[in-house]
Amino acid sequence: RHGGRVPETMAELVALPGVARKTANVVLGCALGKNEGFIVDTHITRLAARLGLSRNTDPEKIEQDLMALVPRDQWTDVANRLIWHGRRVCVAKAPDCDHCGLAPQCPSFGMFPRPEVEEPEENVKNEAKAEFETALAEVEMIARIRLDRLFGSA
């Protein structure tokens, strides 16, 4: 139908089975460099509410709100930064407000108390370190095997 090529318009992408606006916006913005819409995933939905950027819960309405706030040439970049922020700092259950660069401007700052985290016992730390070192050694071994297969033994 598309001659083996990725469709390059929103209309063509959303006509594909299983592709909605979020996926189409990711393909258009991240792969093709076209800002046709604003990516709205679960992280952006959460951050748009917490940051007071949208009062809507419907992704298409959130998208419209964000497109009105952010210059078009920045839609994909801002979306990707918000997604990263939502994955690393402003997580769903326990956002790390104390280490958030947006905290001074955030209307939700401090509304989510951070649970106290107990320091793990020394034996737990040592076990975790040993497991990590074993996993790292296995990854290194697999990488050497793959390199040997590709380029032959050194």
Side-chain angles (χ1 to χ4, degrees):
R1 184 166 156 185
H2 297 282
R5 297 180 52 93
V6 174
E8 295 187 20
T9 68
M10 179 66 72
E12 291 174 318
L13 284 165
V14 297
L16 295 173
V19 176
R21 287 194 64 85
K22 179 188 84 173
T23 301
N25 282 327
V26 170
V27 170
L28 290 168
C30 297
L32 301 176
K34 296 180 176 185
N35 288 310
E36 297 296 323
F38 202 100
I39 302 163
V40 177
D41 71 350
T42 187
H43 305 292
I44 290 180
T45 298
R46 179 175 63 254
L47 267 66
R50 286 184 180 169
L51 293 170
L53 303 175
S54 178
R55 291 183 178 183
N56 290 300
T57 56
D58 176 75
E60 288 190 29
K61 290 179 181 176
I62 295 169
E63 179 183 8
Q64 294 302 314
D65 292 340
L66 295 174
M67 290 186 327
L69 293 172
V70 178
R72 185 181 188 129
D73 65 334
Q74 297 176 27
W75 288 350
T76 301
D77 289 338
V78 170
N80 284 318
R81 288 180 183 144
L82 286 172
I83 292 168
W84 183 92
H85 187 71
R87 288 178 178 167
R88 302 289 190 272
V89 179
C90 195
V91 296
K93 292 185 179 180
D96 191 3
C97 296
D98 294 337
H99 296 99
C100 177
L102 300 174
Q105 293 82 33
C106 182
S108 300
F109 175 73
M111 292 178 67
F112 304 91
R114 198 97 171 132
E116 291 295 321
V117 179
E118 289 185 30
E119 184 70 20
E121 294 180 22
E122 198 61 36
N123 65 332
V124 173
K125 285 184 188 178
N126 291 336
E127 287 175 21
K129 182 179 178 188
E131 288 176 15
F132 175 77
E133 288 171 347
T134 300
L136 182 60
E138 290 172 357
V139 168
E140 289 173 347
M141 180 184 67
I142 292 167
R144 278 195 302 277
I145 292 169
R146 288 186 178 165
L147 287 172
D148 285 346
R149 287 182 184 162
L150 286 172
F151 302 108
S153 298

